[in-house]
Amino acid sequence: MKRFLILMLLCITVIMLVAGCVPEKPVKDGKGELAVTIDREFTTPATHSPLEWWQTHHPTVINSGDIKEQDCLYCHQVDRSCNNCHGYVGVRKIK
Amino acid sequence: MNDAAMIWNLFAGVLIGLAYLSAFAFVAGLTLRLFLYFKTPVPLKIVQTPGPKNAPGVLARMAGDALIFPNLFQADKALWLGAWLFHACLLLIFVRHSRYFLYPVPELVIDWQAISIYAGFLFPIPALYLLWRRMASARVLFVSGLPDFGVLILLTAIAATGMLVNYYARAYLVDVKAFILGLLTLTPVAPPQHPVFIAHFILVCLLLIYFPFSKLLHAGGIFFSPTRNQIDNVLYPRYVNPWNEEVRIDQNR
């Protein structure tokens, strides 16, 4: 029983340590190190509306060839509004 | 808070509870079952010939058994192909899913994404073959029970909902990862409001609960199989019966 309790305490300590290393999820204009920010000078194109749909389906649109990956980079800065999300979910980063 | 939001919050709470219940059942069940395997006495050497003569030999044999199933290859080539593809796809799918559990995601996992996608497409083929085989042969059908079909159907349903989430009814990956990381770090957040993802997640939870109590435990049990993990050195050491009476030998006679 004593061993079990020590093991449980150890597991909880490890989880707490890991939890401290996990950043807040990337959110547009959100807080935290992964927050997605886009310069104010750019207006949101009609294709990005509604935002929830676009966030989910932009890979499909790019893979279909309707928009090229390079087209995104007219407004999006790779580090602040592409690769923070891509790195978070573990998909190929934009170069 | 309106009724719909309240019902959703309640459902999210149930889903989070199910996730923790299934994780507990999986870890505790697996640990208990493997501990019982470990503590089971194996008093006799029952190595399957040709047996390895040393520990590295056992390691090589176990690695071979776990990775390429040589015995099955000798017994049934078609079944071997189906089973090997099935397990290889499962491994690749697991590697692909590890991106939801890890932060930062290792480069190796990102590089493997492209290959793992094809494993997802391929997986239903060996799964359906194994299911068909159980029904097509009278001899196999006779020794098949409900759990044999149930597990294959459950895995196929998980794969089908997974493919739907990935390609046809996409879920927002950031929300999915935030949900999984929240569960792992004991700071749960609401799951994405995506019916197919929720179906996929519930099916995986059911699999986790069922795993330690099913034939799926061959994943861990194979390493405790005495015919495969013993060293064939039965004739090398001298065995002395520990409860033999000590015999005095007079050297001067």
Side-chain angles (χ1 to χ4, degrees), chain A residues 54-85:
Chain A
W54 180 252
Q55 282 174 330
T56 308
H57 292 91
H58 71 272
T60 316
V61 177
I62 291 170
N63 288 340
S64 71
D66 291 343
I67 291 179
K68 287 179 185 156
E69 196 175 280
Q70 291 304 311
D71 296 341
C72 306
L73 304 182
Y74 289 124
C75 309
H76 288 265
Q77 209 188 47
V78 170
D79 293 330
R80 286 190 290 120
S81 55
C82 298
N83 286 343
N84 37 356
C85 274

Side-chain angles (χ1 to χ4, degrees), chain B residues 110-153:
Chain B
I110 298 174
D111 293 342
W112 274 46
Q113 296 293 314
I115 306 165
S116 306
I117 288 172
Y118 295 108
F121 280 116
L122 193 64
F123 182 77
I125 298 171
L128 289 174
Y129 164 71
L130 293 177
L131 199 61
W132 168 81
R133 179 186 156 273
R134 284 209 173 270
M135 292 183 282
S137 161
R139 190 167 55 89
V140 181
L141 185 62
F142 184 74
V143 294
S144 298
L146 194 62
D148 299 315
F149 295 103
V151 159
L152 280 172
I153 291 168

